[in-house]
């Protein structure tokens, strides 16, 4: 039994972990890297040792790709990650509700439920400040999306990957940040889920032939832009908060962009099939981001500096 518990840690200690790091970083910190790994796995079981080695390897890859918490791109992704997760969870909740209340339950819906449930559970983990389990759930969601016969759109798999590669040590998990993310998911999902009542008595094959009153049709046409409006306003408000890293606050804009490619209910998935619909969505989203960014920058310039305010990344 002892050999089984020590063989993997011993193997991990022999792997050239420092070789994954950039040359300059390896020259400056190579001995420290090996010492940290040896100390982490010395008395650890196989699972703990593998986790520690994977954490150091991921740190090395982030340094090589310039996505660490000290790099601008890493800080932008760290700011976007909670809101990318919130947007994906809101969309997943819409899929689950629509499948349960409107669409006829079948095998496709069951597969969709397996694909969407991890997003909602990951949002719950984020609400509790548990970022590692949230990332593990998104990794499971990506795996399900790739290996199931009827995968969800690749856009949201890409969104999950963006969350996964964000440097975890830079993600703001303060209560205030978590409240913003969970609140944004609720603000997106609740109004859009209310629109599902329009399809409660309609079979899926009849959707293309439905004709709604003008007001309802206007709401449906606008609905893909509603999530972008919610996140755009959060992008504006977060830019003006004290002790906010501008790059992380600006990263919220990245979480807005996927919504430019979504379509109206009842499916809330895929990209608009008509070029006019796609151009309308993209134009509205980009105009919204430009306006909120301009207002945020103007407010930031006119607001007097507060003691302790800085633009440093959140560790």
């Amino acid at each position: 039994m002892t050999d089984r518990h020590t063989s993997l840690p011993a193997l991990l200690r022999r792997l050239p972990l420092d070789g994954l790091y950039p040359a300059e970083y390896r020259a400056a910190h190579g001995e420290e890297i090996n010492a940290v790994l040896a100390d982490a796995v010395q008395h650890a079981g196989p699972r703990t040792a593998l986790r520690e080695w994977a954490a150091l390897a991921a740190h090395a890859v982030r340094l090589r790709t310039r996505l660490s918490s000290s790099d601008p791109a890493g800080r932008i992704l760290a700011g976007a990650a909670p809101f990318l997760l919130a947007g994906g969870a809101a969309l997943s909740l819409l899929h689950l509700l629509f499948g349960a209340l409107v669409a006829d339950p079948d095998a496709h819906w069951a597969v969709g439920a397996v694909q969407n449930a991890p997003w909602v559970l990951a949002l719950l983990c984020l609400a509790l400040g548990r970022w590692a389990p949230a990332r593990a759930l998104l990794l499971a969601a990506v795996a399900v999306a790739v290996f199931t016969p009827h995968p969800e759109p690749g856009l949201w798999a890409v969104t999950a990957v963006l969350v996964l590669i964000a440097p975890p040590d830079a993600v703001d998990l303060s209560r205030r940040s978590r409240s913003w993310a969970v609140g944004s998911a609720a603000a997106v999902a609740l109004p859009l889920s209310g629109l599902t009542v329009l399809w409660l008595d309609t079979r899926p094959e009849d959707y293309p032939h439905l004709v709604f009153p003008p007001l309802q049709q206007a709401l449906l046409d606008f609905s893909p832009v509603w999530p972008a409006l919610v996140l755009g306003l959060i992008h504006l408000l977060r830019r003006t908060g004290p002790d906010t890293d501008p790059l992380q606050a600006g990263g919220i804009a990245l979480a807005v962009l996927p919504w430019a490619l979504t379509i109206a209910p009842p499916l809330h998935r895929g990209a608009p099939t008509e070029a006019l619909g796609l151009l309308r969505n993209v134009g509205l989203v980009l105009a919204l981001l430009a306006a909120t960014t301009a207002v945020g920058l103007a407010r930031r310039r006119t607001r007097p500096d507060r003691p302790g305010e800085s633009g440093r990344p959140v560790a």
Side-chain angles (χ1 to χ4, degrees):
M1 182 68 67
T2 302
D3 291 341
R4 291 178 61 187
H5 282 278
T6 58
S7 58
L8 181 59
L11 174 62
L12 293 175
R13 283 198 299 270
R14 290 195 294 269
L15 291 178
L17 178 65
D18 56 346
L20 297 177
Y21 282 85
E24 294 182 1
Y25 192 93
R26 183 169 64 248
H29 305 284
E31 294 183 2
E32 180 183 352
I33 295 168
N34 293 324
V36 168
L37 176 63
D39 182 67
V41 304
Q42 183 176 5
H43 301 293
R47 184 179 301 177
T48 302
L50 185 59
R51 183 173 63 246
E52 295 293 338
W53 187 91
L56 288 172
H59 178 247
V61 173
R62 283 193 292 271
L63 287 177
R64 276 194 176 274
T65 56
R66 299 188 181 277
L67 291 176
S68 71
S69 56
S70 60
D71 294 306
R75 288 156 59 190
I76 290 173
L77 275 179
F83 296 94
L84 287 168
L85 170 55
L91 184 69
S92 295
L93 183 60
L94 290 175
H95 288 176
L96 290 172
L97 289 175
F98 183 81
L101 298 179
V102 180
D104 294 332
D106 56 15
H108 293 352
W109 181 86
V111 171
V114 173
Q115 294 172 358
N116 289 296
W119 283 91
V120 180
L121 295 175
L123 182 65
L124 293 177
C125 290
L126 172 61
L128 297 174
R130 303 296 302 276
W131 188 241
R135 295 173 74 241
L137 284 164
L138 288 190
L139 183 60
V142 172
V144 171
V146 169
F147 293 108
T148 51
H150 301 284
E152 288 296 310
L155 173 65
W156 295 100
V158 173
T159 300
V161 171
L162 290 177
V163 177
L164 290 171
I165 65 176
D169 58 319
V171 175
D172 184 2
L173 295 179
S174 65
R175 180 175 297 180
R176 179 172 180 266
S177 179
R178 287 183 279 132
S179 298
W180 277 107
V182 175
S184 68
V188 168
L190 291 178
L192 294 185
S193 63
L195 292 176
T196 60
V197 298
L198 299 176
W199 285 274
L200 284 178
D201 299 323
T202 309
R203 296 183 62 83
E205 56 267 24
D206 297 328
Y207 295 156
H209 311 294
L210 291 179
V211 177
F212 294 103
L215 178 59
Q216 292 181 359
Q217 188 61 52
L219 290 175
L220 294 176
D221 290 340
F222 178 74
S223 61
V225 186
W226 170 251
L229 176 61
V230 171
L231 292 173
L233 292 175
I234 291 174
H235 168 58
L236 167 62
L237 297 174
R238 291 284 287 174
R239 287 190 66 85
T240 59
D243 300 320
T244 300
D245 176 14
L247 285 177
Q248 285 201 348
I252 300 173
L254 184 62
V256 180
L257 297 178
W259 291 100
L261 302 178
T262 58
I263 62 176
L267 299 179
H268 292 291
R269 67 182 70 188
T273 54
E274 298 179 359
L276 181 61
L278 177 60
L279 290 175
R280 179 194 61 202
N281 286 4
V282 172
L284 286 173
V285 168
L286 292 181
L288 174 66
L289 284 178
T292 54
T293 300
V295 172
L297 289 173
R299 292 181 62 183
R300 195 174 186 90
R301 291 194 189 99
T302 57
R303 191 183 71 248
D305 291 338
R306 302 181 184 181
E309 184 171 348
S310 67
R312 291 174 296 179
V314 179

